[in-house]
Amino acid sequence: IATKTNRIVKLLDGYKTKVLDTRKTTPGLRYLEKWAVRIGGGLNHRIGLYDMILIKDNHVDYAGGITNAISQANEYIKRTERELQIEIEVRNLQELKQVLAVGNVDRIMLANFDLHALREAVRLIDGKFLTEASVGIVEDNVTAYAACGVDFISMGELTHSLKSLDLSLKAC
């Protein structure tokens, strides 16, 4: 994991973009795998469900829309007096425009955006919020995504798709 992360970090040299892991880790090994990402030069997105509010597409649908989802997240923070950042996932430019109209979030996750749409999204956001590209980003295309100007790229493949080195020690 550290080696893979370090390869990605080196590919991003010269871009402002930082690489993030995801919560998709091996059961029981989350802290070790996230530590390995940090050793490799990457950043941890979040450790669990408790350290950031991430409003995913299904949360938006359940809340009855983007405005309601953002409002409910902010009401929760106020009610519980917690210091949490809010990130919201958007699936297209139309949803992004709704988020930009509402505001009250810290980061916008641009999920499944192709490169053209991602460039347009970064242009529309214009530095008002942190940006994160996610889904479908792998070592072979990570620099193309970074070139779009996003702040972060989250990559599940850092932890959930790696194969361990097959070693054995045989005693004579």
Side-chain angles (χ1 to χ4, degrees), residues 2 5 15 32 49 59 73 81 89 116-117 125 143 166:
T5 302
Y15 297 99
L32 292 173
L49 296 173
H59 302 131
E81 299 179 356
E89 175 185 45
H116 175 74
I125 294 167
T143 55
D166 185 13

Side-chain angles (χ1 to χ4, degrees), residues 33-50:
E33 291 179 352
K34 287 187 162 285
W35 183 32
V37 167
R38 289 193 312 271
I39 289 169
L43 302 174
N44 297 141
H45 185 271
R46 53 190 185 139
I47 301 298
L49 296 173
Y50 56 85

Side-chain angles (χ1 to χ4, degrees), residues 67-83:
T67 301
N68 288 343
I70 293 172
S71 175
Q72 289 173 23
N74 279 285
E75 287 173 18
Y76 171 80
I77 289 171
K78 186 176 179 180
R79 183 177 68 251
T80 61
E81 299 179 356
R82 299 193 63 191
E83 292 185 25

Side-chain angles (χ1 to χ4, degrees), residues 90-93 110-122 133-137 141 144-148 150:
V90 297
R91 299 169 276 202
N92 53 54
L93 292 172
L110 306 155
N112 284 308
F113 275 56
D114 64 32
L115 295 173
H116 175 74
L118 187 61
R119 280 189 290 276
E120 177 63 11
V122 169
S134 185
V135 185
I137 304 169
N141 65 15
Y145 280 87
C148 293
V150 293

